[in-house]
Amino acid sequence: MGQSVIAGLDALRGGLGDFYRDLHRHPELSLQETRTAGLLAGRLRDAGFDEVAEQVGGTGVVGVLRNGDGPVVMLRADFDALPVEERTDLPYASTARSLDHEGRDVPVMHACGHDMHAACLVGAATLFAQAREAWSGTLLVVFQPAEELVMGARAMVADGLFERFPKPGIVLGQHVGPLPAGFIAYGTGPVMAASDSLDITLYGRGGHGSRPEAAIDPVLMAANVVTRLQGIVAREVPPSETAVVTVGRLQSGTKDNIIPDTAELGVNIRSYTAQTRDLVRAAIERIVRAEAAASGAEREPDFRWFGHAPALVSEPDATESVRAAFTEHFGELRIQPLPPVNASEDVGVFGEALGVPTVFWFWGGLEAEPTVTAFLEGRADQLPGNHSPFFAPVVEPTLSTGVEALVVAAQHCLTGRL
């Protein structure tokens, strides 16, 4: 039955490739994905979906395809881009620029493959609509905005996603990455880390650079905080646990001979368990407050936590069942286990909101032979990865593999074989 749905892929492949290249050439930042959303909604309407809704949770798009009795299965793709200047030299490379959410003029690129995610889901949705005789149940197709800000999934849920549309019994999603094209990689349990972001403001007392004794220097304060934060994972997180603490932003001052009043830090943490997350968060605040006190700061630092994404858990039993379906379709050699990834994804918000399983997998987007060679020679870290200005999946077989994976997984779940 899965094969009968996929049978229409050959006829779609050329047009779907053109659609992908168009998305890649015209990326849009998180919360600004209006052109992309319109194109995606149009594709669902053209495919014959029973219901298509736009502006769900901002710029989100939802499609419902009802086809008799059976399970409700949700397929999800994200479609926002990043403030990255593309350096691939592809004929369809992006030259777009836009104002980001802070009003800065930035280059824009689909450096994380979300254009490929969206194109694959369009392909899978179209195939299901064309082959209604081969399945029964309800397909809920969700194009989610603002994944890069880890806001889109929560915004769609808050906008009544599961009140306005059928409630799925399972959530399926995938992510393209720096793996050999044509290969599927999977994990069970926690497969991607939880993420939390934090803005810190340290308060000093400004003055002339020649008279530091008359000031309280927030730059020195911030420098000491950055150094001390690196000790959290090394000295406070148990070796059996995994965590990352990164200071990605440190901003202060306007001139070399002026001691400023404030310094700002942008911090990001990754964790896999609630206990480790709470430990790291508490340690950061403790260290920052202690450093401010040690420096004689006259005002407590400010903390603004935001951008939380839960750890992405691919439910073990459901994942094993879908993996078996992948193995039957793709062959054992193209299915590979993958260790947990420290990057984060907010797709887990959907399953968590309903208390239903999520199954999530990765698939390769780089030219197969040189990529396999790089892995065998220990050079995998030299491959262009997600968020790199050089990351752009080869169109084929990446596109076909992504479409087939969505179809096989959804068909497997629609038949109730989980």
Side-chain angles (χ1 to χ4, degrees):
M1 294 175 67
Q3 289 290 347
S4 64
V5 175
I6 291 172
L9 179 56
D10 284 345
L12 287 182
R13 192 173 280 117
L16 206 54
D18 291 339
F19 182 65
Y20 161 73
R21 283 183 280 267
D22 180 73
L23 295 181
H24 189 85
R25 187 182 287 115
H26 299 100
E28 294 174 298
L29 293 175
S30 305
L31 306 178
Q32 301 178 25
E33 315 96 324
T34 53
R35 176 185 185 271
T36 309
L39 291 174
L40 296 172
R43 289 283 175 144
L44 293 182
R45 292 189 180 101
D46 291 344
F49 266 61
D50 304 301
E51 185 177 354
V52 178
E54 299 182 64
Q55 298 181 340
V56 180
T59 51
V61 176
V62 178
V64 180
L65 189 63
R66 296 179 176 87
N67 195 34
D69 295 333
V72 179
V73 173
M74 174 174 157
L75 292 175
R76 172 268 196 183
D78 42 17
F79 61 100
D80 54 331
L82 285 160
V84 172
E85 186 169 6
E86 183 158 0
R87 298 173 64 188
T88 64
D89 293 327
L90 290 167
Y92 51 91
S94 167
T95 58
R97 300 190 68 87
S98 184
L99 297 180
D100 69 7
H101 64 286
E102 295 182 354
R104 299 171 297 194
D105 180 73
V106 295
V108 188
M109 175 193 175
H110 268 298
C112 201
H114 295 186
D115 47 350
M116 183 60 74
H117 301 175
C120 288
L121 184 50
V122 163
T126 303
L127 291 176
F128 273 106
Q130 291 177 349
R132 290 178 184 249
E133 74 285 350
W135 61 280
S136 63
T138 298
L139 198 66
L140 178 68
V141 171
V142 174
F143 291 99
Q144 179 211 309
E147 187 277 334
E148 296 294 353
L149 299 181
V150 291
M151 296 172 58
R154 292 191 190 281
M156 295 189 82
V157 171
D159 199 20
L161 174 64
F162 298 128
E163 288 76 43
R164 297 162 58 185
F165 308 101
K167 291 182 174 65
I170 191 166
V171 176
L172 303 175
Q174 61 180 5
H175 206 300
V176 68
L179 302 166
F183 283 72
I184 303 286
Y186 73 96
T188 59
V191 295
M192 297 186 78
S195 175
D196 292 270
S197 294
L198 168 65
D199 284 337
I200 301 170
T201 302
L202 296 167
Y203 295 96
R205 185 171 66 235
H208 201 288
S210 66
R211 298 188 63 220
E213 76 283 0
I216 298 173
D217 190 349
V219 176
L220 179 60
M221 202 186 309
N224 287 331
V225 165
V226 172
T227 302
R228 285 297 306 272
L229 291 183
Q230 305 315 305
I232 295 174
V233 174
R235 289 294 177 265
E236 298 192 44
V237 175
S240 59
E241 295 290 327
T242 299
V244 177
V245 177
T246 297
V247 181
R249 181 175 64 87
L250 197 167
Q251 295 170 316
S252 187
T254 57
K255 197 172 184 294
D256 61 290
N257 65 347
I258 299 174
I259 295 173
D261 286 320
T262 62
E264 297 179 359
L265 293 87
V267 183
N268 181 261
I269 69 173
R270 309 283 167 146
S271 57
Y272 286 94
T273 66
Q275 293 83 355
T276 298
R277 176 178 180 250
D278 291 345
L279 183 156
V280 172
R281 285 172 58 113
I284 290 172
E285 294 197 16
R286 185 194 74 235
I287 287 169
V288 172
R289 288 193 174 95
E291 186 58 45
S295 299
E298 297 168 341
R299 178 176 170 182
E300 282 279 306
D302 286 338
F303 301 91
R304 185 177 75 89
W305 290 98
F306 64 98
H308 172 61
L312 174 52
V313 177
S314 194
E315 201 279 324
D317 291 340
T319 300
E320 177 57 29
S321 184
V322 170
R323 183 207 62 78
F326 283 161
T327 301
E328 181 179 349
H329 177 78
F330 292 107
E332 189 172 351
L333 291 179
R334 290 174 63 186
I335 313 299
Q336 300 294 324
L338 191 72
V341 176
N342 280 339
S344 302
E345 249 274 8
D346 64 351
V347 65
V349 168
F350 295 114
E352 187 179 77
L354 284 176
V356 302
T358 297
V359 176
F360 196 83
W361 61 90
F362 302 84
W363 92 106
L366 302 185
E367 191 176 347
E369 186 173 342
T371 302
V372 171
T373 300
F375 272 90
L376 292 175
E377 295 178 354
R379 297 183 291 105
D381 59 343
Q382 298 176 20
L383 297 169
N386 302 84
H387 291 213
S388 162
F390 299 101
F391 182 74
V394 294
V395 178
E396 289 293 356
T398 309
L399 187 57
S400 293
T401 304
V403 172
E404 290 180 33
L406 289 172
V407 170
V408 169
Q411 183 71 11
H412 182 71
C413 296
L414 285 164
T415 57
R417 292 163 60 190
L418 286 180

